[in-house]
Amino acid sequence: MRELNNIFYYLLLSITAIILILIMVLAKPITTNTNNYVDKFFVAGIFFISCLFGISIAIYPSWWKKNKQKTNHTPNLKRPKTSRIFQGHHPNCSIFKNHIIIIKNKPRCAGCLGLILGALASILLITLYLILPLKLSINIYYFLLILGIIVLIFVYGEIILSKRKMFFHILLNSLLILSFLTITISVLEITKNLIYAILTVILCFLWLDTRIYISNHQHQRICDSCAQECKSY
């Protein structure tokens, strides 16, 4: 029950963040493309660094929390010691086979792979955003904003499902990071407000943390429903 309450609070915060974004872009829209390049460079730099940090976390989940006894991808220390080993951030169990992809005979977490691909694509696109003199209409940025929010909702819905298609899971996780990019750029271009754009990047971390929390809960639920005694979550 406590876990469900926590998920409810995470989703509530995420929905509140989406509403806040919509309020920011609708409160005082500007139709002329007069962004200061310094503002764009600053926002792009923050997003770039955030993507690099996200990639490092996807590859080494606990490097920045070395003193933390329990991480999101390790067995629950309160349970009996499991006989399962973790491969690609998941136990080597047939139930989690669709959560893992084999690359060059090495198991990789499908979700993390998608996040890495999305982050790499976002780094490329945010660089092009700075270099190329794009002159898009404000309606296009409104479209990209709504599209990013729709992708965010789809990702949450797919994670909640017990059964998943591995490559679709990779695709959605890639699109999740790209949705963060489109939402951030759209907020900056529509509002012309540096503070709003930085706040959007911070809210992206909330959305990502919600995705991770829901995923961890699903892993535990899948493990609990299994008849085998080797509990890894």
Side-chain angles (χ1 to χ4, degrees):
M1 181 62 69
R2 180 180 178 183
E3 289 293 323
L4 291 177
N5 287 336
N6 288 340
I7 289 179
F8 172 78
Y9 291 134
Y10 265 100
L11 290 175
L12 181 61
L13 285 174
S14 295
I15 293 173
T16 303
I18 292 175
I19 295 174
L20 178 61
I21 292 292
L22 295 176
I23 292 175
M24 287 191 302
V25 299
L26 294 175
K28 194 177 180 181
I30 299 177
T31 56
T32 56
N33 195 354
T34 57
N35 266 352
N36 187 320
Y37 184 80
V38 175
D39 291 350
K40 295 173 66 173
F41 185 84
F42 191 76
V43 173
I46 294 176
F47 198 91
F48 187 96
I49 295 174
S50 298
C51 285
L52 292 180
F53 178 74
I55 291 172
S56 69
I57 293 298
I59 298 175
Y60 303 106
S62 59
W63 72 262
W64 65 302
K65 292 185 178 180
K66 293 182 179 180
N67 296 326
K68 188 176 180 181
Q69 293 182 338
K70 176 185 173 184
T71 68
N72 292 330
H73 303 287
T74 55
N76 191 328
L77 299 178
K78 295 181 180 179
R79 295 180 179 232
K81 185 177 180 180
T82 177
S83 59
R84 297 283 182 182
I85 61 173
F86 272 58
Q87 296 180 327
H89 304 162
H90 295 85
N92 61 336
C93 174
S94 60
I95 296 179
F96 290 95
K97 64 180 180 180
N98 288 332
H99 297 245
I100 299 174
I101 183 172
I102 305 299
I103 301 177
K104 294 184 179 180
N105 296 323
K106 292 184 178 182
R108 305 293 184 185
C109 173
C112 289
L113 175 62
L115 295 175
I116 291 173
L117 293 176
L120 290 175
S122 296
I123 288 175
L124 174 61
L125 291 175
I126 198 70
T127 303
L128 293 177
Y129 170 69
L130 284 177
I131 296 175
L132 300 179
L134 296 177
K135 299 293 183 180
L136 303 180
S137 70
I138 193 170
N139 290 330
I140 293 179
Y141 287 115
Y142 275 118
F143 172 77
L144 292 175
L145 173 65
I146 298 302
L147 182 62
I149 294 174
I150 291 175
V151 169
L152 183 63
I153 295 173
F154 264 97
V155 170
Y156 286 171
E158 190 266 347
I159 294 174
I160 293 175
L161 296 177
S162 298
K163 295 182 180 180
R164 63 182 55 166
K165 301 295 183 179
M166 180 176 58
F167 290 104
F168 184 64
H169 184 61
I170 294 174
L171 175 62
L172 275 184
N173 278 276
S174 298
L175 293 178
L176 175 64
I177 306 301
L178 289 172
S179 73
F180 294 164
L181 175 64
T182 60
I183 292 173
T184 300
I185 291 179
S186 297
V187 169
L188 179 61
E189 291 291 340
I190 294 172
T191 67
K192 314 300 182 187
N193 191 307
L194 175 62
I195 301 301
Y196 284 178
I198 295 175
L199 176 60
T200 302
V201 175
I202 296 174
L203 293 178
C204 289
F205 278 96
L206 169 63
W207 291 325
L208 180 60
D209 197 36
T210 300
R211 174 247 179 259
I212 294 173
Y213 192 89
I214 295 175
S215 179
N216 290 336
H217 174 73
Q218 284 300 98
H219 291 162
Q220 182 176 331
R221 190 177 68 82
I222 293 172
C223 200
D224 286 340
S225 63
C226 178
Q228 300 185 54
E229 297 183 355
C230 52
K231 302 302 180 183
S232 299
Y233 293 95

